[in-house]
């Protein structure tokens, strides 16, 4: 006898709203590949996509009391995913921009220190009435 588990989303959402972790596991397994794929297509990063997947489902779990009220859970889930991906990409962009600015500042500081050191050496030579030679 072939017994198949029928996925009844409304029932699963009601159970999750009541705190049923097994139902949450069913929901996670039902949608995980789709959420991961969306995240991966937008980020092109496997580790980042995995992190987004987990964050999205954490948000679902934290707001589980509202799940039984939702008419279109799939739209809700994909909206959370889209928003989280875009937020993550924005944060990465800002972080990279800040890192680039720090690198530029360090480079400029290092360059100015080098210039100052050369200038200082040149002035030191001038005070001793020694002219630098071209080597």
């Amino acid at each position: 006898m072939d017994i198949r588990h029928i996925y009844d989303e409304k029932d699963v959402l009601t159970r999750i709203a009541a705190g049923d972790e097994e139902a949450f596991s069913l929901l996670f397994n039902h949608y995980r590949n789709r959420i991961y794929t969306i995240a991966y297509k937008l980020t092109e990063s496997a580790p980042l996509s995995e992190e987004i997947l987990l964050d999205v489902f954490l948000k679902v779990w934290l707001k589980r009391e509202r799940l039984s009220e939702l008419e279109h859970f799939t739209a809700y889930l994909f909206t959370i995913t889209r928003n989280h991906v875009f937020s993550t990409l924005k944060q990465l962009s800002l972080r990279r921009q800040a890192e680039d600015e720090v690198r530029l500042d360090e480079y400029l500081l290092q360059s100015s220190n080098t210039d100052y050191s050369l200038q200082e050496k040149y002035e030191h030579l001038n005070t001793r009435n020694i002219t630098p030679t071209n080597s």
Side-chain angles (χ1 to χ4, degrees):
M1 179 195 290
D2 184 22
I3 300 175
R4 294 185 181 169
H5 177 42
I6 299 173
Y7 180 80
D8 178 2
E9 191 158 273
K10 196 67 174 167
D11 177 57
V12 170
L13 295 175
T14 302
R15 290 171 45 204
I16 293 170
D20 186 334
E21 292 177 15
E22 185 179 318
F24 183 74
S25 179
L26 287 172
L27 184 77
F28 179 82
N29 289 324
H30 186 75
Y31 283 104
R32 75 174 297 159
N33 290 336
R34 286 187 262 180
I35 300 304
Y36 178 87
T37 300
I38 291 168
Y40 187 80
K41 284 182 179 179
L42 294 170
T43 65
E44 298 179 346
S45 167
L48 196 54
S49 299
E50 190 69 30
E51 183 179 325
I52 289 168
L53 169 69
L54 297 175
D55 287 347
V56 165
F57 278 96
L58 176 60
K59 286 181 183 181
V60 170
W61 179 255
L62 293 174
K63 297 184 184 258
R64 66 187 172 273
E65 292 83 17
R66 301 182 197 169
L67 294 179
S68 58
E69 303 165 7
L70 293 175
E71 291 295 320
H72 304 284
F73 175 75
T74 304
Y76 171 77
L77 183 62
F78 291 153
T79 299
I80 292 173
T81 302
R82 180 200 64 207
N83 292 344
H84 194 64
V85 167
F86 291 156
S87 174
T88 300
L89 290 174
K90 184 177 180 180
Q91 288 172 356
L92 283 174
S93 176
L94 291 172
R95 186 178 308 144
R96 286 183 184 143
Q97 184 179 7
E99 289 170 356
D100 289 346
E101 289 175 8
V102 166
R103 278 191 225 110
L104 179 60
D105 288 346
E106 287 173 351
Y107 173 77
L108 292 174
L109 182 61
Q110 182 181 17
S111 295
S112 68
N113 286 342
T114 303
D115 292 344
Y116 181 73
S117 296
L118 290 175
Q119 182 179 359
E120 189 177 60
K121 288 177 185 177
Y122 185 79
E123 288 172 0
H124 178 71
L125 290 174
N126 278 341
T127 59
R128 296 179 56 198
N129 292 324
I130 301 173
T131 56
T133 59
N134 293 339
S135 319

